[in-house]
Amino acid sequence: MLRRSQLFAPLFVALTTSAWIALWMWDAGPYARYLRHASWAELPLVGALCRAVPGAGLSLAALLHSLAWLLMIAAMMLPTAFPLFDTFRRMTSGRENQGTLMALLIGGYATAWALFGLAAHGFDAVLHRVVDQSPSLFGDGWLIGAAIIALAGAYQFSSLKHRCLDKCRSPLMFISEHWRGRSARRESFLLGIGHGAFCIGCCWALMLLMFAVGTGSIGWMLALGAIMAAEKNFRWGRSIGTPLGVGLIAWSGWIVLQHVVTA
């Protein structure tokens, strides 16, 4: 009979694979556009509920966006944090409540990304409303996309990104600094939130690209997930930042040049 330690990696792979399959099926189905920028209120049944219950539209949209975002995070970001989870599993192997502590750690990590997702979706919704109400901005909406891409490129060279990346690349040191095991449940949850915050610190600009190209693009999610996993988990990951930053800035410049030439 396999020990729980031997089952951890296969179960983790199964969880991540299930998230990717769910996203792929959603993207291939009739409701694919609701994974992107379309209004959740247009969905059958959901739209009727939004119209029938005062204030339900905003809260329900936030809930559905959060669920979709957490599914994306499970697919994209959990693999990048596997070294943390595996190191924590080994450090708590002698505890009877190890499963609970692991669940709290993952829950804290997901909570940090869920809060970021709510903030990002809120900013995206406000930005779309401003653009829709401004004829000049609507016509030059490509400028916003170019600015987001340039910001993501410039952030690759920032010291803040590299400090956060150092924290993500050293899971054993991070756990030793933030987990004592005295209040094990609380510390496990806070450890997940703390690591999630540093993970956001090194990846937020790349994640914003999802809003520039469409949050439901499976191809983009695969590409960005692979880049972020390589940055954190491989020795050569540090070498990605410079060419990636240059490439993104060049892409932004090409978008601007293309529109200027064709204007």
Side-chain angles (χ1 to χ4, degrees):
M1 185 174 180
L2 289 174
R3 299 187 315 178
R4 285 190 297 175
S5 61
Q6 294 175 298
L7 290 172
F8 180 73
L11 288 174
F12 198 87
V13 171
L15 173 63
T16 305
T17 302
S18 298
W20 279 113
I21 292 173
L23 284 171
W24 177 79
M25 292 178 63
W26 191 343
D27 189 59
Y31 298 120
R33 66 194 184 100
Y34 300 106
L35 192 59
R36 301 180 177 91
H37 293 303
S39 173
W40 291 95
E42 297 175 24
L43 275 171
L45 301 179
V46 174
L49 178 62
C50 291
R51 290 186 292 271
V53 181
L58 183 60
S59 58
L60 191 56
L63 175 61
L64 291 171
H65 274 307
S66 298
L67 292 175
W69 180 259
L70 285 176
L71 187 59
M72 294 179 195
I73 292 304
M76 295 176 65
M77 302 311 302
L78 284 183
T80 74
F82 177 78
L84 173 79
F85 302 139
D86 190 50
T87 301
F88 186 79
R89 175 192 62 79
R90 287 186 275 108
M91 291 183 67
T92 58
S93 60
R95 291 177 174 264
E96 294 182 358
N97 61 345
Q98 183 192 37
T100 300
L101 300 181
M102 180 61 67
L104 288 168
L105 174 67
I106 296 176
Y109 184 83
T111 297
W113 274 105
L115 293 174
F116 172 78
L118 284 175
H121 275 97
F123 175 77
D124 183 65
V126 170
L127 188 60
H128 273 76
R129 178 167 295 184
V130 171
V131 170
D132 290 341
Q133 294 178 352
S134 173
S136 59
L137 281 177
F138 188 82
D140 295 327
W142 58 270
L143 280 171
I144 299 173
I148 292 174
I149 294 170
L151 174 63
Y155 191 67
Q156 302 310 303
F157 302 98
S158 71
S159 59
L160 177 60
K161 176 186 172 69
H162 292 293
R163 286 199 299 271
C164 291
L165 189 57
D166 286 340
K167 293 289 187 180
C168 294
R169 289 172 62 90
S170 306
L172 179 59
M173 184 179 298
F174 188 85
I175 295 172
S176 299
E177 291 175 351
H178 296 87
W179 197 82
R180 297 290 181 269
R182 299 188 184 97
S183 301
R185 289 181 173 82
R186 181 179 64 85
E187 289 180 13
S188 299
F189 185 73
L190 293 178
L191 178 68
I193 289 181
H195 194 271
F198 280 110
C199 189
I200 292 168
C202 67
C203 299
W204 68 269
L206 289 177
M207 292 299 286
L208 285 185
L209 291 177
M210 298 296 296
F211 295 89
V213 301
T215 53
S217 172
I218 300 298
W220 271 103
M221 282 190 278
L222 279 168
L224 291 175
I227 289 171
M228 290 182 285
E231 273 192 320
K232 293 180 182 180
N233 299 332
F234 294 102
R235 292 182 179 179
W236 49 267
R238 292 181 182 275
S239 63
I240 294 177
T242 297
L244 178 61
V246 171
L248 289 171
I249 292 173
W251 181 19
S252 175
W254 180 80
I255 293 173
V256 173
L257 182 63
Q258 185 182 40
H259 282 84
V260 169
V261 170
T262 58

